């Protein structure tokens, strides 16, 4: 069985067929999906989906591109949502200097507060980092973010960066973009140790080859798993079993 550790099932692109998408995942042997919140409303939606579907779990948090107007009350609302037993992580949180929808100091503050919240609640982190490598590393390092575990989702950076993140005791996941012809992630995939790897789709985005161009969904995670197996030159069954065990252990999934 596979686990998709990062999907946005609340997106409106699933409004017509959400139930079928979750059903197709089960048929494709994707036995668990973590659906991710990016603000209070989508986090609440994620918890709702996790309560409705047995194979769905939730992560709650405020994304750096959604944090410009985040208040103390919003952080409190995120904390309250974690009381639900289907919430398995704080995320996605982080820094994003590519879209830059909030000033850097605001992004830092909201990210730091949520790392502290994860530590208070002993929950792992799901981290988003876009064009903010150095500051992201410094923040994670200063706050000892690896203490409760977590994953650098949709990992980008060079080999040195990969190693510094691994030294923080964090996991790594790659999306369908590693299957793209122009992907420059081959070295990263090869170098990422199996025992720290997770699978994810980031659905509805980043659809893997050969389905590129279509809306992404958790059932497609197998294509990314196959690409990782090919690059590491090991059977896909090994990627499947190890990444599933990693996800179950990191997120304490009851499956
Ligand atoms: Zn995401």
């Amino acid at each position: 069985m596979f686990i998709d550790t990062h999907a946005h099932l609340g997106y409106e692109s699933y409004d017509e067929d959400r139930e079928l998408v979750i059903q197709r995942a089960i048929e494709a042997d994707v036995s668990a999906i973590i659906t991710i919140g990016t603000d209070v409303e989508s986090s609440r939606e994620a918890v709702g989906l996790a309560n409705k579907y047995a194979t769905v779990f939730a992560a709650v948090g405020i994304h750096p591109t959604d944090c410009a107007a985040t208040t103390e009350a919003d952080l409190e609302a995120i904390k309250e949502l974690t009381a639900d037993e289907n919430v398995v992580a704080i995320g996605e949180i982080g820094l994003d200097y590519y879209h830059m929808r909030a000033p850097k100091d605001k992004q830092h503050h909201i990210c730091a507060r949520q790392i502290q919240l994860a530590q208070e609640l002993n929950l792992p982190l799901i981290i988003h980092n876009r064009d903010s490598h150095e500051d992201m590393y410094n923040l994670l390092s200063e706050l000892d973010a690896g203490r409760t575990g977590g994953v650098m989702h949709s990992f980008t950076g060079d080999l040195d960066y990969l190693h510094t993140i691994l030294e923080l005791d964090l996991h790594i996941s790659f999306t369908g973009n590693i299957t793209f012809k122009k992907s420059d992630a081959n070295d990263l995939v090869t170098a990422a140790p199996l025992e720290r790897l997770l699978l994810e789709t980031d659905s509805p985005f980043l659809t893997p080859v050969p389905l590129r161009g279509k809306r992404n969904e958790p059932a497609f995670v197998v294509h990314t798993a196959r690409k990782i197996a090919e690059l590491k030159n090991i059977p896909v069954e090994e990627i499947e079993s190890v990444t599933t065990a990693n996800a179950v252990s990191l997120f304490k999934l009851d499956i």
Side-chain angles (χ1 to χ4, degrees), residues 6-8 36 38 63 92 128 153 200 202-203 205:
H6 196 118
H8 297 274
I36 314 286
T38 56
H63 192 284
E92 58 185 296
H128 169 105
H153 113 88
E200 67 159 310
D202 207 11
S203 298
F205 312 110

Side-chain angles (χ1 to χ4, degrees), residues 126-141:
I126 295 175
I127 302 154
H128 169 105
N129 163 43
R130 186 114 189 240
D131 293 357
S132 47
H133 295 338
E134 195 179 341
D135 285 0
M136 191 73 257
Y137 172 79
N138 289 336
L139 193 54
L140 293 168
S141 171

Side-chain angles (χ1 to χ4, degrees), residues 162-221:
L162 177 75
H163 290 297
T164 58
I165 292 302
L166 290 168
E167 277 163 23
L168 294 176
D169 284 335
L170 295 169
H171 285 66
I172 302 289
S173 64
F174 299 102
T175 62
N177 60 4
I178 64 163
T179 66
F180 299 172
K181 222 177 195 167
K182 286 187 177 158
S183 166
D184 54 6
N186 291 4
D187 289 357
L188 295 169
V189 176
T190 310
L194 253 189
E195 65 273 16
R196 295 285 192 88
L197 261 190
L198 301 176
L199 295 178
E200 67 159 310
T201 57
D202 207 11
S203 298
F205 312 110
L206 300 168
T207 311
V209 172
L211 300 156
R212 207 178 168 188
K214 288 179 70 170
R215 177 193 66 180
N216 202 1
E217 60 178 68
F220 301 165
V221 80

Side-chain angles (χ1 to χ4, degrees), residues 57-195:
F57 298 86
V60 298
I62 295 170
H63 192 284
T65 61
D66 285 318
C67 78
T70 298
T71 61
E72 279 301 311
D74 294 329
L75 292 169
E76 193 53 41
I78 293 293
K79 183 177 177 179
E80 279 167 20
L81 286 172
T82 63
D84 191 288
E85 61 176 6
N86 288 307
V87 172
V88 297
I90 295 291
E92 58 185 296
I93 67 165
L95 301 175
D96 191 320
Y97 295 172
Y98 176 79
H99 292 99
M100 213 47 155
R101 299 220 179 98
K104 286 184 181 179
D105 59 342
K106 178 83 181 192
Q107 293 193 38
H108 282 232
H109 176 68
I110 298 301
C111 181
R113 288 291 307 275
Q114 294 182 99
I115 293 171
Q116 287 155 348
L117 177 64
Q119 292 178 338
E120 184 188 324
L121 301 165
N122 196 26
L123 283 171
L125 296 163
I126 295 175
I127 302 154
H128 169 105
N129 163 43
R130 186 114 189 240
D131 293 357
S132 47
H133 295 338
E134 195 179 341
D135 285 0
M136 191 73 257
Y137 172 79
N138 289 336
L139 193 54
L140 293 168
S141 171
E142 276 160 28
L143 295 175
D144 189 17
R147 202 170 72 207
T148 59
V151 57
M152 281 295 255
H153 113 88
S154 194
F155 184 86
T156 54
D158 58 16
L159 281 173
D160 285 345
Y161 195 63
L162 177 75
H163 290 297
T164 58
I165 292 302
L166 290 168
E167 277 163 23
L168 294 176
D169 284 335
L170 295 169
H171 285 66
I172 302 289
S173 64
F174 299 102
T175 62
N177 60 4
I178 64 163
T179 66
F180 299 172
K181 222 177 195 167
K182 286 187 177 158
S183 166
D184 54 6
N186 291 4
D187 289 357
L188 295 169
V189 176
T190 310
L194 253 189
E195 65 273 16

